[in-house]
Amino acid sequence: VIILFYMRVFSRSHLTHTPSVREELGEKRCYAELLCQREAMKFYHQPMRRKQGGLKGSCSALVERFAFPENELVLPDDVQKSDRDHCRGIVHELAKCLGKHRVGSR
């Protein structure tokens, strides 16, 4: 559900070519960090939660793991519904901010 919400700006043809999706996600990250700094910090850099005394995985690692399988290594072993719900709110904030700047609206 989170992935579908986040990916609403991509066309279906982009989803069939992983390198293109990775490039578009990288481009979106650049725009986010320039135009939506607070939201980008929460999505790309803020840990989802603390795990056994350490910080574990960002929302971007969770949401973008379909394009970046290596993200599995930084995610908690037991991603819970509360983690997905937490990230859904952050994704919504970032999408709203990027929408104000017309990023992703082709």
Side-chain angles (χ1 to χ4, degrees):
V1 174
I2 294 173
I3 292 171
L4 293 175
F5 179 76
Y6 185 69
M7 293 298 300
R8 68 188 166 93
V9 298
F10 298 119
S11 68
R12 289 235 180 253
S13 64
H14 286 101
L15 292 175
T16 61
H17 305 292
T18 303
S20 296
V21 171
R22 289 176 76 118
E23 289 170 8
E24 289 215 21
L25 290 171
E27 182 180 316
K28 182 178 286 289
R29 182 177 182 153
C30 287
Y31 280 120
E33 290 184 348
L34 286 171
L35 302 171
C36 304
Q37 293 176 358
R38 182 181 62 82
E39 295 86 349
M41 179 64 79
K42 289 167 85 174
F43 183 69
Y44 292 106
H45 304 290
Q46 180 181 341
M48 265 190 321
R49 62 180 162 124
R50 294 189 178 273
K51 175 77 174 176
Q52 299 172 347
L55 301 175
K56 202 69 169 164
S58 65
C59 287
S60 68
L62 176 64
V63 173
E64 297 175 348
R65 68 183 171 185
F66 71 95
F68 300 95
E70 61 273 18
N71 286 352
E72 290 290 337
L73 299 173
V74 298
L75 290 172
D77 294 332
D78 61 336
V79 174
Q80 301 170 357
K81 183 181 183 317
S82 61
D83 297 323
R84 291 188 298 273
D85 291 344
H86 169 76
C87 289
R88 185 177 297 118
I90 291 173
V91 167
H92 179 71
E93 290 175 19
L94 181 58
K96 185 176 177 181
C97 178
L98 289 171
K100 288 179 186 177
H101 298 284
R102 298 186 185 267
V103 173
S105 58
R106 297 180 191 241

mmCIF file of all heavy atoms in Angstrom, residues 51-68:
data_model
loop_
_atom_site.group_PDB
_atom_site.id
_atom_site.type_symbol
_atom_site.label_atom_id
_atom_site.label_comp_id
_atom_site.label_asym_id
_atom_site.label_seq_id
_atom_site.Cartn_x
_atom_site.Cartn_y
_atom_site.Cartn_z
ATOM 1 N N LYS A 51 15.827 -0.090 17.492
ATOM 2 C CA LYS A 51 15.790 -1.552 17.538
ATOM 3 C C LYS A 51 16.922 -2.026 18.432
ATOM 4 O O LYS A 51 18.091 -1.855 18.099
ATOM 5 C CB LYS A 51 15.935 -2.101 16.116
ATOM 6 C CG LYS A 51 16.029 -3.591 16.020
ATOM 7 C CD LYS A 51 14.689 -4.225 16.194
ATOM 8 C CE LYS A 51 14.832 -5.717 15.931
ATOM 9 N NZ LYS A 51 13.663 -6.437 16.152
ATOM 10 N N GLN A 52 16.596 -2.595 19.566
ATOM 11 C CA GLN A 52 17.569 -3.163 20.497
ATOM 12 C C GLN A 52 18.735 -2.211 20.746
ATOM 13 O O GLN A 52 19.893 -2.558 20.548
ATOM 14 C CB GLN A 52 18.066 -4.511 19.993
ATOM 15 C CG GLN A 52 16.962 -5.518 19.864
ATOM 16 C CD GLN A 52 17.399 -6.798 19.174
ATOM 17 O OE1 GLN A 52 18.449 -6.860 18.578
ATOM 18 N NE2 GLN A 52 16.564 -7.818 19.267
ATOM 19 N N GLY A 53 18.401 -0.977 21.123
ATOM 20 C CA GLY A 53 19.420 -0.010 21.476
ATOM 21 C C GLY A 53 20.016 0.744 20.303
ATOM 22 O O GLY A 53 20.719 1.713 20.483
ATOM 23 N N GLY A 54 19.743 0.318 19.082
ATOM 24 C CA GLY A 54 20.292 1.008 17.916
ATOM 25 C C GLY A 54 19.192 1.503 17.007
ATOM 26 O O GLY A 54 18.055 1.076 17.110
ATOM 27 N N LEU A 55 19.542 2.427 16.139
ATOM 28 C CA LEU A 55 18.570 2.936 15.183
ATOM 29 C C LEU A 55 18.536 1.998 13.987
ATOM 30 O O LEU A 55 19.538 1.425 13.606
ATOM 31 C CB LEU A 55 18.963 4.346 14.759
ATOM 32 C CG LEU A 55 19.059 5.341 15.914
ATOM 33 C CD1 LEU A 55 19.584 6.677 15.415
ATOM 34 C CD2 LEU A 55 17.719 5.521 16.595
ATOM 35 N N LYS A 56 17.366 1.871 13.385
ATOM 36 C CA LYS A 56 17.223 0.878 12.326
ATOM 37 C C LYS A 56 16.399 1.429 11.172
ATOM 38 O O LYS A 56 15.272 1.832 11.364
ATOM 39 C CB LYS A 56 16.552 -0.361 12.912
ATOM 40 C CG LYS A 56 16.774 -1.625 12.176
ATOM 41 C CD LYS A 56 18.202 -2.114 12.284
ATOM 42 C CE LYS A 56 18.250 -3.529 11.745
ATOM 43 N NZ LYS A 56 19.522 -4.016 11.440
ATOM 44 N N GLY A 57 16.964 1.442 9.966
ATOM 45 C CA GLY A 57 16.244 1.709 8.727
ATOM 46 C C GLY A 57 15.406 2.969 8.653
ATOM 47 O O GLY A 57 14.759 3.353 9.596
ATOM 48 N N SER A 58 15.423 3.609 7.502
ATOM 49 C CA SER A 58 14.600 4.789 7.260
ATOM 50 C C SER A 58 13.335 4.384 6.507
ATOM 51 O O SER A 58 13.238 3.273 5.978
ATOM 52 C CB SER A 58 15.378 5.798 6.422
ATOM 53 O OG SER A 58 15.627 5.258 5.138
ATOM 54 N N CYS A 59 12.398 5.309 6.427
ATOM 55 C CA CYS A 59 11.180 5.032 5.654
ATOM 56 C C CYS A 59 11.520 4.840 4.178
ATOM 57 O O CYS A 59 10.901 4.011 3.509
ATOM 58 C CB CYS A 59 10.175 6.160 5.837
ATOM 59 S SG CYS A 59 9.405 6.150 7.466
ATOM 60 N N SER A 60 12.509 5.567 3.683
ATOM 61 C CA SER A 60 12.869 5.380 2.278
ATOM 62 C C SER A 60 13.381 3.964 2.039
ATOM 63 O O SER A 60 13.094 3.370 1.000
ATOM 64 C CB SER A 60 13.907 6.407 1.825
ATOM 65 O OG SER A 60 15.148 6.194 2.451
ATOM 66 N N ALA A 61 14.128 3.412 2.985
ATOM 67 C CA ALA A 61 14.614 2.036 2.833
ATOM 68 C C ALA A 61 13.443 1.059 2.757
ATOM 69 O O ALA A 61 13.467 0.112 1.972
ATOM 70 C CB ALA A 61 15.543 1.670 3.987
ATOM 71 N N LEU A 62 12.404 1.303 3.545
ATOM 72 C CA LEU A 62 11.231 0.430 3.545
ATOM 73 C C LEU A 62 10.429 0.584 2.254
ATOM 74 O O LEU A 62 10.109 -0.386 1.577
ATOM 75 C CB LEU A 62 10.345 0.745 4.752
ATOM 76 C CG LEU A 62 9.025 -0.021 4.837
ATOM 77 C CD1 LEU A 62 9.285 -1.511 4.998
ATOM 78 C CD2 LEU A 62 8.182 0.505 5.990
ATOM 79 N N VAL A 63 10.123 1.818 1.898
ATOM 80 C CA VAL A 63 9.245 2.082 0.761
ATOM 81 C C VAL A 63 9.915 1.766 -0.574
ATOM 82 O O VAL A 63 9.273 1.268 -1.489
ATOM 83 C CB VAL A 63 8.776 3.559 0.788
ATOM 84 C CG1 VAL A 63 7.992 3.916 -0.458
ATOM 85 C CG2 VAL A 63 7.933 3.810 2.029
ATOM 86 N N GLU A 64 11.212 2.022 -0.678
ATOM 87 C CA GLU A 64 11.905 1.856 -1.951
ATOM 88 C C GLU A 64 12.624 0.510 -2.087
ATOM 89 O O GLU A 64 13.370 0.301 -3.033
ATOM 90 C CB GLU A 64 12.912 2.994 -2.143
ATOM 91 C CG GLU A 64 12.259 4.352 -2.220
ATOM 92 C CD GLU A 64 13.258 5.486 -2.298
ATOM 93 O OE1 GLU A 64 14.463 5.274 -2.075
ATOM 94 O OE2 GLU A 64 12.814 6.612 -2.591
ATOM 95 N N ARG A 65 12.362 -0.412 -1.194
ATOM 96 C CA ARG A 65 13.091 -1.676 -1.247
ATOM 97 C C ARG A 65 12.766 -2.505 -2.481
ATOM 98 O O ARG A 65 13.547 -3.364 -2.868
ATOM 99 C CB ARG A 65 12.892 -2.485 0.024
ATOM 100 C CG ARG A 65 11.511 -3.014 0.227
ATOM 101 C CD ARG A 65 11.413 -3.741 1.535
ATOM 102 N NE ARG A 65 10.031 -4.059 1.805
ATOM 103 C CZ ARG A 65 9.610 -4.608 2.902
ATOM 104 N NH1 ARG A 65 10.478 -4.902 3.844
ATOM 105 N NH2 ARG A 65 8.353 -4.866 3.069
ATOM 106 N N PHE A 66 11.645 -2.245 -3.147
ATOM 107 C CA PHE A 66 11.329 -2.945 -4.393
ATOM 108 C C PHE A 66 12.347 -2.591 -5.477
ATOM 109 O O PHE A 66 12.636 -3.409 -6.349
ATOM 110 C CB PHE A 66 9.905 -2.616 -4.872
ATOM 111 C CG PHE A 66 9.768 -1.208 -5.392
ATOM 112 C CD1 PHE A 66 9.878 -0.960 -6.752
ATOM 113 C CD2 PHE A 66 9.552 -0.158 -4.532
ATOM 114 C CE1 PHE A 66 9.770 0.335 -7.228
ATOM 115 C CE2 PHE A 66 9.444 1.138 -5.001
ATOM 116 C CZ PHE A 66 9.559 1.382 -6.357
ATOM 117 N N ALA A 67 12.907 -1.389 -5.435
ATOM 118 C CA ALA A 67 13.881 -0.952 -6.437
ATOM 119 C C ALA A 67 15.320 -1.111 -5.947
ATOM 120 O O ALA A 67 16.241 -1.161 -6.744
ATOM 121 C CB ALA A 67 13.631 0.501 -6.813
ATOM 122 N N PHE A 68 15.480 -1.154 -4.638
ATOM 123 C CA PHE A 68 16.795 -1.272 -4.027
ATOM 124 C C PHE A 68 16.787 -2.457 -3.060
ATOM 125 O O PHE A 68 16.664 -2.278 -1.846
ATOM 126 C CB PHE A 68 17.161 0.005 -3.258
ATOM 127 C CG PHE A 68 17.207 1.243 -4.115
ATOM 128 C CD1 PHE A 68 16.102 2.083 -4.209
ATOM 129 C CD2 PHE A 68 18.354 1.560 -4.821
ATOM 130 C CE1 PHE A 68 16.144 3.222 -4.995
ATOM 131 C CE2 PHE A 68 18.403 2.702 -5.606
ATOM 132 C CZ PHE A 68 17.301 3.537 -5.707
#
